Amino acid sequence: MDRVAYFNWVRDIPYRLPLDQEEPDYSCEGKHTILAKLLRRTGLEVRPRVCEARWKDLALPQNVINIPHDDDILHLYLE
């Protein structure tokens, strides 16, 4: 696979938090780990980065926004 195919493949894994240590981690942290390993195999240098965001700034349905939550969040991604 080429780099774009790797990115698309990992992107399309449904987001899912593991409920125990036996389950795969398909959160932003787990998916970035998978993608980093794949991209490094192609010789690309990548590193994890963290950004801050707010739920209220995201284009989410109102029923999701209405669920009680902290507004500030952190998101892990690759540079």
Side-chain angles (χ1 to χ4, degrees):
M1 270 192 220
D2 67 9
R3 294 171 179 169
V4 173
Y6 282 142
F7 174 86
N8 290 336
W9 180 76
V10 173
R11 179 200 62 198
D12 293 342
I13 298 171
Y15 185 92
R16 186 170 191 281
L17 294 170
L19 299 178
D20 61 46
Q21 293 180 359
E22 304 300 316
E23 293 184 355
D25 182 355
Y26 296 138
S27 67
C28 60
E29 182 178 353
K31 290 174 79 167
H32 112 267
T33 301
I34 294 167
L35 183 58
K37 287 179 185 178
L38 294 170
L39 293 176
R40 286 180 181 133
R41 281 190 209 165
T42 71
L44 190 63
E45 293 184 32
V46 297
R47 64 181 179 167
R49 304 294 288 169
V50 176
C51 67
E52 297 179 5
R54 293 181 301 201
W55 282 103
K56 67 182 177 185
D57 296 335
L58 303 175
L60 298 170
Q62 193 61 44
N63 63 327
V64 173
I65 293 173
N66 289 340
I67 297 170
H69 60 276
D70 291 332
D71 194 41
D72 296 326
I73 58 173
L74 296 177
H75 177 67
L76 188 62
Y77 67 97
L78 287 180
E79 178 181 62

